[in-house]
């Protein structure tokens, strides 16, 4: 409870008014040069004192820039260090295109299922931004995104065929097998060193691992002691794992976070379903500050650009926490003085 009050006080205070060596860091242009899988693992390794990393969900969303679009990723990267969660779907001619939904209704000026169009036919539509406004951008191929991001950024692939309603078991398995073919030697993704896969379960992670996949990391939900123990007992080494701990840091799970950190595993919250949903900009900013002061190692958000001027270094965040604690002491001291005068 005391930790929560400190977090809340620090976030409210800030709303009014050290890097360490040993892992790849963003240069002045915010890109991250990763030359090997070992360097990729280092990027996600937990290091005390490291700045909090902001992940751009669906590439980041700003006015005039659609989700899952190379131009949007380029815009976000021009503003801050980040890495990108992206989604893709298959066209009728088996081209993987960047698209969160299995239909194009929400994100373009067209309608229908992605699988009912060829890639060339999809180029007849334009993407819309988060407010539904038409943009000049077209639906990109995953291949183009990978080439754009090579030696520049990190990608987190989210396989929507795993948990999307209406997807058959046959299609779900086919998508897993497709990933495996692309990641094996000679596959279209095998030459890249910057791919992490979001998995929905230990069984899914083990499906890749048992198929011999060793050139990706796994973003795994580990939000309980039971989940930690299950991964601790599995054959996948901890340096292949980044831990998703759900919407926020939970003080009741501090033991789990400490165990993950002891094994060099970074923790990530995803606020796309919590703080990102707050409508009022000032209230949303306070929520973002509270998310930062709670100190996950990474934060996934729809709106990374709104974090540009917020403190992400541990030194700044710890200074805020100290100021909040001191402020609480002063308030208590003043209250005690008043009570003695009565």
């Amino acid at each position: 409870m005391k930790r929560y009050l400190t977090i809340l006080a620090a976030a409210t205070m800030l709303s009014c008014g050290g890097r360490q060596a040993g892992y790849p860091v963003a240069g002045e242009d915010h890109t991250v040069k990763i030359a090997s899988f070992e360097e990729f693992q280092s990027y996600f390794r937990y290091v005390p004192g490291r700045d909090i990393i902001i992940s751009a969900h669906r590439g980041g969303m700003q006015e005039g820039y659609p989700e899952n679009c190379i131009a949007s990723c380029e815009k976000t990267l021009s503003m801050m260090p980040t890495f990108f969660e992206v989604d893709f779907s298959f066209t009728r001619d088996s081209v993987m295109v960047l698209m969160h939904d299995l239909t194009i209704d929400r994100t373009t000026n067209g309608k229908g299922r992605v699988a009912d169009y060829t890639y060339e036919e999809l180029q007849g539509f334009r993407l819309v931004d988060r407010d539904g406004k038409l943009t000049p951008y077209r639906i990109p191929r995953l291949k183009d995104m990978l080439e754009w991001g090579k030696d520049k950024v990190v990608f987190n692939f989210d396989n929507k065929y795993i948990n999307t309603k209406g997807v058959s078991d046959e299609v779900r398995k086919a998508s897993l097998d497709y990933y495996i073919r692309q990641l094996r030697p000679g596959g279209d993704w095998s030459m890249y060193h910057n791919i992490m896969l979001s998995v929905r379960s230990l069984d899914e992670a083990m499906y890749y691992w048992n198929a011999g996949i060793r050139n990706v990391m796994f973003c795994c939900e580990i939000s309980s002691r039971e989940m930690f123990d299950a991964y601790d007992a599995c054959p996948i080494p901890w340096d292949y794992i980044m831990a998703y701990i759900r919407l926020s840091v939970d003080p009741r799970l501090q033991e789990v976070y400490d165990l993950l950190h002891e094994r060099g595993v970074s923790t990530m919250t995803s606020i796309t379903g919590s703080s990102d949903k707050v409508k009022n900009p000032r209230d949303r900013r306070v929520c973002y500050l509270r998310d930062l002061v709670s100190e996950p190692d990474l934060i996934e958000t729809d709106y990374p650009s709104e974090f540009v001027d917020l403190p992400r270094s541990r030194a700044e965040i710890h200074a805020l926490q100290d100021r909040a604690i001191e402020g609480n002491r002063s308030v208590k001291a003043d209250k005690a003085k008043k009570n003695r005068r009565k």
Side-chain angles (χ1 to χ4, degrees):
M1 183 56 132
K2 286 182 180 178
R3 176 177 167 79
Y4 174 78
L5 291 173
T6 299
I7 288 169
L8 187 60
T12 306
M13 183 186 303
L14 196 79
S15 70
C16 303
R19 302 181 182 275
Q20 294 187 15
Y23 54 86
V25 296
E28 290 183 5
D29 61 352
H30 301 151
T31 61
V32 177
K33 310 282 191 296
I34 294 177
S36 67
F37 181 66
E38 290 71 27
E39 288 187 7
F40 183 53
Q41 290 174 304
S42 294
Y43 178 81
F44 285 104
R45 186 171 300 124
Y46 170 70
V47 179
R50 184 181 183 183
D51 294 359
I52 293 174
I53 300 174
I54 304 301
S55 169
H57 185 237
R58 304 183 199 173
M61 304 176 207
Q62 300 178 56
E63 185 178 355
Y65 289 91
E67 64 182 59
N68 285 310
C69 173
I70 294 174
S72 303
C73 292
E74 185 77 59
K75 177 67 174 176
T76 301
L77 191 62
S78 73
M79 302 174 74
M80 65 188 301
T82 186
F83 74 96
F84 297 101
E85 185 269 358
V86 293
D87 319 272
F88 29 85
S89 299
F90 289 100
T91 65
R92 193 174 77 222
D93 52 344
S94 300
V95 177
M96 292 199 89
V97 294
L98 281 246
M99 184 64 56
H100 177 274
D101 305 345
L102 300 185
T103 70
I104 62 173
D105 300 39
R106 180 180 62 85
T107 55
T108 77
N109 62 341
K111 290 189 179 300
R113 297 193 316 150
V114 178
D116 290 338
Y117 291 97
T118 65
Y119 170 70
E120 290 301 324
E121 288 169 342
L122 285 176
Q123 296 312 291
F125 304 112
R126 286 192 286 166
L127 293 164
V128 299
D129 69 8
R130 70 189 189 192
D131 298 317
K133 295 177 182 175
L134 201 62
T135 74
Y137 306 114
R138 312 282 174 174
I139 300 170
R141 297 180 301 176
L142 174 62
K143 179 180 178 180
D144 297 327
M145 177 67 88
L146 281 169
E147 279 301 300
W148 168 81
K150 183 172 57 177
D151 300 323
K152 186 185 294 185
V153 297
V154 168
F155 290 117
N156 181 8
F157 286 3
D158 194 357
N159 187 343
K160 289 301 172 187
Y161 291 91
I162 298 301
N163 68 332
T164 299
K165 188 177 180 181
V167 174
S168 68
D169 290 341
E170 182 182 7
V171 170
R172 191 174 292 114
K173 183 178 183 302
S175 73
L176 293 170
D177 291 338
Y178 180 88
Y179 274 43
I180 289 168
R181 288 197 301 275
Q182 303 315 309
L183 290 165
R184 279 177 172 161
D188 286 347
W189 305 347
S190 61
M191 72 286 293
Y192 301 104
H193 309 297
N194 58 345
I195 297 173
M196 178 165 61
L197 303 182
S198 278
V199 295
R200 297 305 194 287
S201 66
L202 175 56
D203 286 343
E204 185 184 346
M206 286 303 302
Y207 192 84
Y208 292 118
W209 190 260
N210 289 335
I213 300 305
R214 300 292 187 272
N215 54 345
V216 298
M217 288 190 65
F218 302 106
C219 175
C220 311
E221 180 181 344
I222 304 179
S223 57
S224 69
R225 180 59 192 261
E226 291 73 25
M227 287 180 174
F228 172 85
D229 289 341
Y231 276 97
D232 202 33
C234 87
I236 303 174
W238 281 110
D239 59 359
Y240 278 81
I241 292 173
M242 190 267 283
Y244 163 57
I245 58 173
R246 299 190 65 79
L247 303 183
S248 62
V249 173
D250 185 343
R252 295 170 298 180
L253 294 174
Q254 189 59 50
E255 178 195 23
V256 173
Y257 308 148
D258 290 342
L259 288 169
L260 288 166
H261 286 163
E262 285 173 11
R263 284 154 178 78
V265 178
S266 293
T267 61
M268 182 181 80
T269 57
S270 180
I271 59 173
T272 60
S274 53
S275 299
D276 280 347
K277 298 296 184 185
V278 176
K279 297 296 184 185
N280 182 281
R282 186 181 182 281
D283 292 341
R284 188 167 63 248
R285 181 179 173 86
V286 171
C287 288
Y288 287 160
L289 290 164
R290 187 171 61 223
D291 293 324
L292 286 162
V293 174
S294 69
E295 290 194 82
D297 305 309
L298 308 100
I299 296 176
E300 180 182 76
T301 173
D302 283 337
Y303 309 123
S305 62
E306 296 192 22
F307 282 78
V308 168
D309 65 339
L310 296 180
R312 300 189 300 278
S313 78
R314 301 287 179 166
E316 289 176 292
I317 290 169
H318 293 166
L320 283 172
Q321 292 171 340
D322 291 343
R323 284 164 54 195
I325 292 169
E326 194 57 44
N328 286 337
R329 285 174 181 160
S330 297
V331 169
K332 288 179 181 178
D334 289 343
K335 195 176 290 185
K337 277 184 184 179
K338 288 178 182 177
N339 288 336
R340 285 197 297 268
R341 289 171 186 163
K342 288 180 181 179

mmCIF file of all heavy atoms in Angstrom, residues 127-150:
data_model
loop_
_atom_site.group_PDB
_atom_site.id
_atom_site.type_symbol
_atom_site.label_atom_id
_atom_site.label_comp_id
_atom_site.label_asym_id
_atom_site.label_seq_id
_atom_site.Cartn_x
_atom_site.Cartn_y
_atom_site.Cartn_z
ATOM 1 N N LEU A 127 -4.960 3.220 -46.200
ATOM 2 C CA LEU A 127 -5.103 3.073 -44.756
ATOM 3 C C LEU A 127 -5.695 4.331 -44.148
ATOM 4 O O LEU A 127 -5.503 5.450 -44.666
ATOM 5 C CB LEU A 127 -3.739 2.802 -44.124
ATOM 6 C CG LEU A 127 -3.103 1.446 -44.487
ATOM 7 C CD1 LEU A 127 -1.624 1.447 -44.144
ATOM 8 C CD2 LEU A 127 -3.822 0.308 -43.775
ATOM 9 N N VAL A 128 -6.411 4.173 -43.034
ATOM 10 C CA VAL A 128 -6.952 5.314 -42.286
ATOM 11 C C VAL A 128 -6.220 5.413 -40.953
ATOM 12 O O VAL A 128 -5.681 4.421 -40.448
ATOM 13 C CB VAL A 128 -8.477 5.184 -42.057
ATOM 14 C CG1 VAL A 128 -9.219 5.134 -43.387
ATOM 15 C CG2 VAL A 128 -8.808 3.943 -41.214
ATOM 16 N N ASP A 129 -6.192 6.617 -40.370
ATOM 17 C CA ASP A 129 -5.524 6.781 -39.073
ATOM 18 C C ASP A 129 -6.471 6.418 -37.946
ATOM 19 O O ASP A 129 -7.596 5.941 -38.183
ATOM 20 C CB ASP A 129 -4.944 8.193 -38.928
ATOM 21 C CG ASP A 129 -6.021 9.274 -38.788
ATOM 22 O OD1 ASP A 129 -7.222 8.937 -38.652
ATOM 23 O OD2 ASP A 129 -5.663 10.462 -38.818
ATOM 24 N N ARG A 130 -6.038 6.655 -36.700
ATOM 25 C CA ARG A 130 -6.820 6.201 -35.544
ATOM 26 C C ARG A 130 -8.157 6.919 -35.422
ATOM 27 O O ARG A 130 -9.069 6.444 -34.748
ATOM 28 C CB ARG A 130 -6.009 6.387 -34.271
ATOM 29 C CG ARG A 130 -5.802 7.822 -33.848
ATOM 30 C CD ARG A 130 -4.818 7.890 -32.703
ATOM 31 N NE ARG A 130 -4.740 9.214 -32.105
ATOM 32 C CZ ARG A 130 -3.801 9.586 -31.254
ATOM 33 N NH1 ARG A 130 -2.861 8.737 -30.911
ATOM 34 N NH2 ARG A 130 -3.797 10.793 -30.738
ATOM 35 N N ASP A 131 -8.296 8.076 -36.089
ATOM 36 C CA ASP A 131 -9.566 8.811 -36.075
ATOM 37 C C ASP A 131 -10.421 8.488 -37.285
ATOM 38 O O ASP A 131 -11.460 9.132 -37.504
ATOM 39 C CB ASP A 131 -9.290 10.322 -36.024
ATOM 40 C CG ASP A 131 -8.551 10.718 -34.750
ATOM 41 O OD1 ASP A 131 -8.926 10.219 -33.672
ATOM 42 O OD2 ASP A 131 -7.603 11.523 -34.840
ATOM 43 N N GLY A 132 -9.983 7.529 -38.092
ATOM 44 C CA GLY A 132 -10.746 7.138 -39.270
ATOM 45 C C GLY A 132 -10.515 8.013 -40.480
ATOM 46 O O GLY A 132 -11.221 7.875 -41.493
ATOM 47 N N LYS A 133 -9.523 8.908 -40.405
ATOM 48 C CA LYS A 133 -9.253 9.804 -41.537
ATOM 49 C C LYS A 133 -8.359 9.113 -42.565
ATOM 50 O O LYS A 133 -7.389 8.442 -42.211
ATOM 51 C CB LYS A 133 -8.578 11.082 -41.036
ATOM 52 C CG LYS A 133 -9.471 11.925 -40.128
ATOM 53 C CD LYS A 133 -8.718 13.147 -39.608
ATOM 54 C CE LYS A 133 -9.596 13.959 -38.658
ATOM 55 N NZ LYS A 133 -8.842 15.099 -38.052
ATOM 56 N N LEU A 134 -8.696 9.319 -43.836
ATOM 57 C CA LEU A 134 -7.956 8.687 -44.916
ATOM 58 C C LEU A 134 -6.533 9.234 -44.997
ATOM 59 O O LEU A 134 -6.300 10.435 -44.849
ATOM 60 C CB LEU A 134 -8.685 8.941 -46.236
ATOM 61 C CG LEU A 134 -8.378 7.984 -47.391
ATOM 62 C CD1 LEU A 134 -8.776 6.557 -47.046
ATOM 63 C CD2 LEU A 134 -9.108 8.441 -48.652
ATOM 64 N N THR A 135 -5.560 8.343 -45.206
ATOM 65 C CA THR A 135 -4.157 8.738 -45.355
ATOM 66 C C THR A 135 -3.673 8.326 -46.752
ATOM 67 O O THR A 135 -4.355 7.560 -47.451
ATOM 68 C CB THR A 135 -3.267 8.045 -44.297
ATOM 69 O OG1 THR A 135 -3.097 6.660 -44.664
ATOM 70 C CG2 THR A 135 -3.890 8.155 -42.909
ATOM 71 N N PRO A 136 -2.506 8.791 -47.161
ATOM 72 C CA PRO A 136 -1.978 8.373 -48.469
ATOM 73 C C PRO A 136 -1.308 7.010 -48.461
ATOM 74 O O PRO A 136 -0.847 6.538 -49.501
ATOM 75 C CB PRO A 136 -0.945 9.469 -48.781
ATOM 76 C CG PRO A 136 -0.490 9.951 -47.448
ATOM 77 C CD PRO A 136 -1.692 9.857 -46.547
ATOM 78 N N TYR A 137 -1.259 6.332 -47.311
ATOM 79 C CA TYR A 137 -0.472 5.119 -47.164
ATOM 80 C C TYR A 137 -1.251 3.861 -47.542
ATOM 81 O O TYR A 137 -2.468 3.768 -47.319
ATOM 82 C CB TYR A 137 0.047 5.006 -45.733
ATOM 83 C CG TYR A 137 0.799 6.241 -45.295
ATOM 84 C CD1 TYR A 137 0.309 7.071 -44.287
ATOM 85 C CD2 TYR A 137 1.978 6.607 -45.944
ATOM 86 C CE1 TYR A 137 0.985 8.218 -43.913
ATOM 87 C CE2 TYR A 137 2.667 7.751 -45.578
ATOM 88 C CZ TYR A 137 2.157 8.557 -44.569
ATOM 89 O OH TYR A 137 2.827 9.696 -44.211
ATOM 90 N N ARG A 138 -0.522 2.893 -48.103
ATOM 91 C CA ARG A 138 -1.095 1.629 -48.545
ATOM 92 C C ARG A 138 -0.707 0.503 -47.583
ATOM 93 O O ARG A 138 0.197 0.654 -46.769
ATOM 94 C CB ARG A 138 -0.593 1.273 -49.947
ATOM 95 C CG ARG A 138 -0.685 2.409 -50.953
ATOM 96 C CD ARG A 138 -2.079 2.629 -51.480
ATOM 97 N NE ARG A 138 -2.153 3.826 -52.329
ATOM 98 C CZ ARG A 138 -3.225 4.191 -53.015
ATOM 99 N NH1 ARG A 138 -4.321 3.448 -52.962
ATOM 100 N NH2 ARG A 138 -3.213 5.293 -53.740
ATOM 101 N N ILE A 139 -1.367 -0.627 -47.711
ATOM 102 C CA ILE A 139 -1.082 -1.789 -46.862
ATOM 103 C C ILE A 139 0.294 -2.357 -47.233
ATOM 104 O O ILE A 139 0.503 -2.759 -48.383
ATOM 105 C CB ILE A 139 -2.158 -2.872 -47.038
ATOM 106 C CG1 ILE A 139 -3.532 -2.316 -46.665
ATOM 107 C CG2 ILE A 139 -1.830 -4.105 -46.196
ATOM 108 C CD1 ILE A 139 -4.691 -3.235 -47.031
ATOM 109 N N PRO A 140 1.232 -2.399 -46.291
ATOM 110 C CA PRO A 140 2.576 -2.903 -46.616
ATOM 111 C C PRO A 140 2.693 -4.417 -46.447
ATOM 112 O O PRO A 140 1.934 -5.038 -45.705
ATOM 113 C CB PRO A 140 3.469 -2.182 -45.605
ATOM 114 C CG PRO A 140 2.582 -1.976 -44.427
ATOM 115 C CD PRO A 140 1.174 -1.834 -44.928
ATOM 116 N N ARG A 141 3.660 -4.986 -47.139
ATOM 117 C CA ARG A 141 4.006 -6.391 -46.934
ATOM 118 C C ARG A 141 4.889 -6.508 -45.690
ATOM 119 O O ARG A 141 5.653 -5.591 -45.376
ATOM 120 C CB ARG A 141 4.764 -6.938 -48.129
ATOM 121 C CG ARG A 141 3.991 -6.954 -49.428
ATOM 122 C CD ARG A 141 4.824 -7.503 -50.563
ATOM 123 N NE ARG A 141 6.040 -6.730 -50.787
ATOM 124 C CZ ARG A 141 6.981 -7.038 -51.668
ATOM 125 N NH1 ARG A 141 6.841 -8.130 -52.412
ATOM 126 N NH2 ARG A 141 8.053 -6.291 -51.802
ATOM 127 N N LEU A 142 4.800 -7.634 -45.019
ATOM 128 C CA LEU A 142 5.684 -7.884 -43.884
ATOM 129 C C LEU A 142 7.145 -7.858 -44.335
ATOM 130 O O LEU A 142 8.013 -7.334 -43.623
ATOM 131 C CB LEU A 142 5.355 -9.228 -43.244
ATOM 132 C CG LEU A 142 6.312 -9.680 -42.135
ATOM 133 C CD1 LEU A 142 6.305 -8.707 -40.970
ATOM 134 C CD2 LEU A 142 5.975 -11.085 -41.668
ATOM 135 N N LYS A 143 7.410 -8.398 -45.517
ATOM 136 C CA LYS A 143 8.774 -8.416 -46.050
ATOM 137 C C LYS A 143 9.350 -7.001 -46.128
ATOM 138 O O LYS A 143 10.517 -6.766 -45.803
ATOM 139 C CB LYS A 143 8.783 -9.065 -47.430
ATOM 140 C CG LYS A 143 10.151 -9.127 -48.087
ATOM 141 C CD LYS A 143 10.075 -9.789 -49.461
ATOM 142 C CE LYS A 143 11.442 -9.812 -50.132
ATOM 143 N NZ LYS A 143 11.379 -10.448 -51.479
ATOM 144 N N ASP A 144 8.526 -6.039 -46.563
ATOM 145 C CA ASP A 144 8.993 -4.655 -46.666
ATOM 146 C C ASP A 144 9.285 -4.070 -45.290
ATOM 147 O O ASP A 144 10.239 -3.309 -45.117
ATOM 148 C CB ASP A 144 7.952 -3.796 -47.399
ATOM 149 C CG ASP A 144 7.740 -4.249 -48.832
ATOM 150 O OD1 ASP A 144 8.713 -4.727 -49.448
ATOM 151 O OD2 ASP A 144 6.611 -4.138 -49.332
ATOM 152 N N MET A 145 8.448 -4.415 -44.300
ATOM 153 C CA MET A 145 8.671 -3.939 -42.938
ATOM 154 C C MET A 145 9.979 -4.503 -42.379
ATOM 155 O O MET A 145 10.769 -3.787 -41.749
ATOM 156 C CB MET A 145 7.497 -4.333 -42.035
ATOM 157 C CG MET A 145 7.667 -3.940 -40.576
ATOM 158 S SD MET A 145 7.648 -2.145 -40.310
ATOM 159 C CE MET A 145 5.876 -1.879 -40.103
ATOM 160 N N LEU A 146 10.225 -5.789 -42.617
ATOM 161 C CA LEU A 146 11.453 -6.412 -42.120
ATOM 162 C C LEU A 146 12.686 -5.780 -42.747
ATOM 163 O O LEU A 146 13.690 -5.538 -42.069
ATOM 164 C CB LEU A 146 11.428 -7.913 -42.409
ATOM 165 C CG LEU A 146 10.575 -8.768 -41.457
ATOM 166 C CD1 LEU A 146 10.430 -10.177 -42.005
ATOM 167 C CD2 LEU A 146 11.155 -8.779 -40.061
ATOM 168 N N GLU A 147 12.624 -5.492 -44.035
ATOM 169 C CA GLU A 147 13.766 -4.872 -44.701
ATOM 170 C C GLU A 147 13.982 -3.448 -44.192
ATOM 171 O O GLU A 147 15.114 -3.008 -44.002
ATOM 172 C CB GLU A 147 13.566 -4.880 -46.216
ATOM 173 C CG GLU A 147 13.914 -6.200 -46.866
ATOM 174 C CD GLU A 147 15.365 -6.592 -46.613
ATOM 175 O OE1 GLU A 147 16.271 -5.832 -47.022
ATOM 176 O OE2 GLU A 147 15.600 -7.652 -45.993
ATOM 177 N N TRP A 148 12.882 -2.737 -43.954
ATOM 178 C CA TRP A 148 12.998 -1.375 -43.411
ATOM 179 C C TRP A 148 13.658 -1.413 -42.029
ATOM 180 O O TRP A 148 14.504 -0.579 -41.706
ATOM 181 C CB TRP A 148 11.624 -0.731 -43.296
ATOM 182 C CG TRP A 148 11.658 0.537 -42.496
ATOM 183 C CD1 TRP A 148 12.031 1.780 -42.927
ATOM 184 C CD2 TRP A 148 11.350 0.673 -41.097
ATOM 185 N NE1 TRP A 148 11.981 2.684 -41.893
ATOM 186 C CE2 TRP A 148 11.567 2.034 -40.759
ATOM 187 C CE3 TRP A 148 10.914 -0.193 -40.101
ATOM 188 C CZ2 TRP A 148 11.355 2.530 -39.467
ATOM 189 C CZ3 TRP A 148 10.698 0.297 -38.829
ATOM 190 C CH2 TRP A 148 10.929 1.635 -38.518
ATOM 191 N N GLY A 149 13.305 -2.399 -41.218
ATOM 192 C CA GLY A 149 13.783 -2.431 -39.838
ATOM 193 C C GLY A 149 15.100 -3.141 -39.621
ATOM 194 O O GLY A 149 15.623 -3.140 -38.503
ATOM 195 N N LYS A 150 15.643 -3.742 -40.667
ATOM 196 C CA LYS A 150 16.908 -4.472 -40.532
ATOM 197 C C LYS A 150 18.019 -3.537 -40.058
ATOM 198 O O LYS A 150 18.214 -2.460 -40.603
ATOM 199 C CB LYS A 150 17.284 -5.081 -41.892
ATOM 200 C CG LYS A 150 18.530 -5.925 -41.875
ATOM 201 C CD LYS A 150 18.716 -6.637 -43.215
ATOM 202 C CE LYS A 150 18.768 -5.663 -44.380
ATOM 203 N NZ LYS A 150 19.020 -6.353 -45.666
#
